[in-house]
Amino acid sequence: MRLYTVEKDGKRFVAAGYAGSEGLWPVKECFGIEADCMLDIVCCGEKQAQLAAFETKPEGEAPLKLADVTLCAPIPNPVGDVMCLGVNYYAHLVESNKAGHVSLAQKGHTVYFSKRVNEAVACGGVIPSHRDICDRLDYEVELGVVIGKDAVKVPREDAQGCVFGYTIVNDISARNIQEEHKQWYFGKSLDGSCPMGPCIVTAAEFGDPAGHAICSIINGELRQNSNTELMMQDVPGLIAELSSGVTLKAGTVIATGTPAGVAMGMNPPKWLQPGDTVECKIEGIGSLINTIGE
Ligand code: MG
């Protein structure tokens, strides 16, 4: 099942969709689930259990179609900062090392950092270019993990049980600010720098988070092209490691790092420019498409 946050006639609500179908079923009206927003479901085991009964597509015609609504980011206002992994694909570690951003010595331990997301940008939305302070804007397609149950000291073998579902995150990065300020927080957190969507695919449908093709396409040009099985720290591993000392609250979004092929790694770099179209694509979820604003 796919879960969307959508707007229609000025109202925002959660609706379920299914692979291969354009139909949408508002979960409150159609499934009787008392949820006004995605986090009402993601943070409530009881509502998740109710929802699980609808994992397969209901019979009959859908009350709405994707074309009838405006998409929002699935979790427009995440709980706390988005937790992020840096250089989690070896080829990206190598290109980041060449660009002077990280040391290859980083290979031994996972890099964790965070990203402020005041409001996640929807699929179809505009990513501000912040040209007054940023002259090197970059894209990073990433698999986003949505935690559905507070995770405390969860062993690797139980980690998948804490995952509600998966989405696509574009970890937009202002490279000049990252460099100037050393710590990445500011350069990763500019307003509008976290496109997310188009939906959350439930863990039951997505299956093993390893083995999904992941790519980004800028103005029709394939830039990043990899597979989630190439993560150095995989999803069960990162949940086990982080939850060994930090409670991962239900509703937390974790961006699992990006493969090689970002602008920073190109010679010369092709930084994002106003008017560019950025497509981030993950097999089993779909495409998150945005344009760069002025
Ligand atoms: Mg990233």
Side-chain angles (χ1 to χ4, degrees):
M1 182 195 297
R2 282 110 205 281
L3 288 168
Y4 296 85
T5 299
V6 299
E7 274 176 5
K8 187 171 164 52
D9 303 329
K11 260 188 71 187
R12 189 176 275 197
F13 54 95
V14 179
Y18 298 88
S21 163
E22 287 295 297
L24 280 184
W25 283 260
V27 300
K28 202 170 185 178
E29 286 82 358
C30 298
F31 303 162
I33 297 171
E34 281 304 317
D36 292 320
C37 69
M38 190 71 77
L39 288 174
D40 284 348
I41 300 171
V42 170
C43 300
C44 176
E46 210 174 293
K47 286 171 186 159
Q48 288 170 31
Q50 278 178 277
L51 192 68
F54 301 94
E55 190 64 47
T56 50
K57 186 166 160 280
E59 296 288 326
E61 197 159 329
L64 287 174
K65 290 198 164 39
L66 268 169
D68 300 335
V69 300
T70 304
L71 276 184
C72 305
I75 301 178
N77 311 103
V79 174
D81 288 349
V82 169
M83 298 176 95
C84 303
L85 276 72
V87 291
N88 196 30
Y89 291 75
Y90 186 70
H92 179 57
L93 172 62
V94 171
E95 73 177 355
S96 303
N97 176 64
K98 273 191 199 147
H101 264 235
V102 290
S103 157
L104 278 178
Q106 210 62 65
K107 189 168 175 268
H109 287 93
T110 305
V111 176
Y112 296 108
F113 64 97
S114 62
K115 182 176 179 82
R116 171 57 54 93
V117 182
N118 287 329
E119 176 124 34
V121 175
C123 181
V126 173
I127 300 167
S129 58
H130 293 280
R131 282 197 289 175
D132 51 338
I133 54 169
C134 174
D135 60 5
R136 282 178 268 160
L137 195 69
D138 212 341
Y139 49 86
E140 295 191 347
V141 59
E142 308 199 7
L143 177 67
V145 179
V146 180
I147 299 293
K149 188 167 94 178
D150 289 1
V152 183
K153 297 190 188 304
V154 176
R156 183 185 163 84
E157 57 272 22
D158 298 338
Q160 307 264 32
C162 301
V163 178
F164 175 78
Y166 297 88
T167 187
I168 305 171
V169 167
N170 186 351
D171 177 20
I172 292 287
S173 305
R175 300 297 185 202
N176 58 306
I177 297 176
Q178 255 186 286
E179 258 171 45
E180 287 156 7
H181 293 265
K182 307 301 175 202
Q183 291 281 336
W184 299 352
Y185 191 78
F186 184 22
K188 294 277 191 176
S189 298
L190 302 185
D191 289 346
S193 292
C194 190
M196 183 196 296
C199 59
I200 295 173
V201 176
T202 55
E205 176 170 325
F206 196 67
D208 187 344
H212 295 256
I214 177 169
C215 69
S216 68
I217 300 156
I218 315 299
N219 301 329
E221 182 191 353
L222 183 65
R223 296 275 183 89
Q224 298 177 276
N225 190 19
S226 187
N227 192 290
T228 58
E229 73 188 358
L230 294 174
M231 285 182 196
M232 294 191 287
Q233 174 68 284
D234 63 8
V235 172
L238 72 90
I239 290 172
E241 183 162 77
L242 282 172
S243 76
S244 70
V246 181
T247 299
L248 300 177
K249 304 286 285 180
T252 299
V253 178
I254 304 173
T256 55
T258 202
V262 298
M264 174 180 71
M266 303 175 86
N267 187 16
K270 291 186 186 172
W271 305 116
L272 292 171
Q273 302 296 335
D276 283 353
T277 300
V278 185
E279 178 177 4
C280 294
K281 205 169 168 182
I282 297 181
E283 184 183 14
I285 303 177
S287 284
L288 168 65
I289 302 170
N290 297 96
T291 52
I292 306 298
E294 282 301 316

